[in-house]
Amino acid sequence: MYIILVYDIVVDDEGKKILPKVFKCCKKYLSHIQNSVFEGDMTKSQIMALKLELQKLLRKEKDSLIVFSSRDQKWLSKEFWGKEDDKTSKFL
């Protein structure tokens, strides 16, 4: 399954500690594409594992996270409206 994950962490004292943990957790499963946006292919078991890890970190009353999913990346189109940050361009 192709996933796009977007999160918003309130950056208060506790949020400053949570934010890098959420980033690291998402980076373990998905490719970082922009600030708090990640994308990639995942199995259902990987999605469940990610969800369980993130539920331990996120504060339901303050933080939010949205997961968009599709059967395959080919069913989505991606269009950049500004600077295109191609993370893969840094590799030979």
Side-chain angles (χ1 to χ4, degrees):
M1 188 165 293
Y2 184 74
I3 300 294
I4 297 173
L5 182 147
V6 181
Y7 64 79
D8 189 16
I9 307 298
V10 174
V11 186
D12 52 14
D13 288 338
E14 187 182 4
K16 289 177 186 176
K17 296 174 187 173
I18 292 170
L19 187 58
K21 292 177 184 178
V22 170
F23 179 89
K24 186 176 179 181
C25 181
C26 293
K27 185 101 169 121
K28 186 166 57 170
Y29 293 92
L30 299 162
S31 298
H32 180 229
I33 59 169
Q34 185 178 11
N35 294 337
S36 59
V37 182
F38 292 80
E39 69 177 359
D41 287 307
M42 296 179 73
T43 64
K44 287 184 180 184
S45 61
Q46 288 173 321
I47 294 168
M48 286 303 301
L50 175 60
K51 183 177 182 178
L52 290 172
E53 286 184 50
L54 289 172
Q55 284 178 334
K56 294 176 186 174
L57 298 171
L58 297 172
R59 301 166 293 170
K60 289 181 182 181
E61 69 283 355
K62 292 186 178 184
D63 305 322
S64 65
L65 185 140
I66 302 170
V67 176
F68 300 93
S69 61
S70 175
R71 288 179 292 167
D72 196 307
Q73 183 178 358
K74 70 181 179 183
W75 298 107
L76 297 173
S77 62
K78 186 186 331 181
E79 182 178 340
F80 288 90
W81 293 5
K83 180 183 175 204
E84 183 175 341
D85 191 7
D86 184 3
K87 302 287 185 192
T88 59
S89 67
K90 296 177 177 109
F91 296 101
L92 297 175

